[in-house]
Amino acid sequence: QVQLVESGGGSVQAGGSLRLSCKASGIDSSYSMAWFREVPGQDRKGVAGINSLGTITYADSVKGRFTLSRDNAQNTLYLTMNTLKPDDNAWYYCAADLYYRGLAPSWQYWGLGTQVTVSS
């Protein structure tokens, strides 16, 4: 059974930083993983994804500010977010799939999310 548990969300002022974690169980390094975010009333959007070979893709809106990393030994995915903006306010969700699905929200497994609030 696959389980993804996000943590690390919180409130921060604009310009600040946060690091999100996604602890996975029931998968191994052959799975691809990704972070998505969702604002109530809007579509869920891809933030960054990593395939089983370690190739990383970022959404244009976060390039240069966010860094995706993965610790296969700990089965954990991280998203380091720097220079946060009010536009980054959202619920952030971790996703996993045996196949890399890009930044479209068509991944098989999802966590319950963690909230990020950025104040101006």
Side-chain angles (χ1 to χ4, degrees):
Q1 182 179 356
V2 177
Q3 188 173 18
L4 305 173
V5 180
E6 301 95 335
S7 62
S11 297
V12 64
Q13 289 191 326
S17 300
L18 284 174
R19 189 177 81 155
L20 305 183
S21 300
C22 172
K23 177 67 175 178
S25 57
I27 66 171
D28 57 27
S29 60
S30 66
Y31 279 68
S32 298
M33 298 185 74
W35 284 99
F36 287 77
R37 64 187 181 185
E38 184 175 336
V39 175
Q42 298 183 19
D43 294 336
R44 188 169 295 188
K45 297 179 180 178
V47 176
I50 182 169
N51 66 15
S52 59
L53 299 178
T55 302
I56 297 173
T57 302
Y58 293 98
D60 288 344
S61 59
V62 306
K63 282 181 181 176
R65 300 188 300 122
F66 290 11
T67 302
L68 185 68
S69 59
R70 183 174 183 173
D71 184 337
N72 288 326
Q74 297 295 323
N75 230 5
T76 302
L77 184 72
Y78 300 99
L79 184 69
T80 302
M81 307 185 294
N82 296 318
T83 320
L84 282 161
K85 306 175 182 179
D87 283 350
D88 297 317
N89 271 305
W91 276 87
Y92 284 72
Y93 297 89
C94 178
D97 199 307
L98 192 55
Y99 303 99
Y100 184 69
R101 304 294 183 181
L103 297 183
S106 56
W107 294 59
Q108 184 172 7
Y109 301 105
W110 293 89
L112 296 180
T114 185
Q115 189 173 17
V116 172
T117 303
V118 183
S119 58
S120 57

